[in-house]
Amino acid sequence: MAHTETHAGISAPRPNSVAIIVAALRKWQRSVARRKALADLTPDQLRDIGHPQANRPVLEIKAGLMTKLMSMR
């Protein structure tokens, strides 16, 4: 006769999986700290360290645009 066991579906974490979880947590913490540090830098400082500028929307206004807009009122 075959012997069967029922499991609740929750197994104890293996030491290797705990190490993976700890490593992932530390990597996440470092990336958050790096993002916070980069957010505090000015564009000149970012250029000095060779970091590309953030992809922020830029609004370019041509000379005379305000005059044209006011005349359209």
Side-chain angles (χ1 to χ4, degrees):
M1 198 181 257
H3 178 71
T4 58
E5 292 182 15
T6 348
H7 295 284
I10 301 173
S11 61
R14 290 181 247 144
N16 191 24
S17 63
V18 172
I20 292 171
I21 292 170
V22 169
L25 178 62
R26 287 184 180 157
K27 182 179 177 182
W28 174 78
Q29 287 173 331
R30 282 192 305 267
S31 67
V32 168
R34 188 177 301 116
R35 275 184 270 151
K36 285 181 181 179
L38 286 174
D40 292 339
L41 296 178
T42 65
D44 291 331
Q45 291 171 329
L46 288 173
R47 241 180 285 118
D48 288 344
I49 64 172
H51 194 275
Q53 292 215 355
N55 294 330
R56 295 185 179 139
V58 177
L59 180 62
E60 294 182 19
I61 300 175
K62 295 181 182 178
L65 176 65
M66 200 62 196
T67 307
K68 289 179 186 176
L69 290 174
M70 291 302 287
S71 67
M72 295 172 69
R73 283 177 74 187

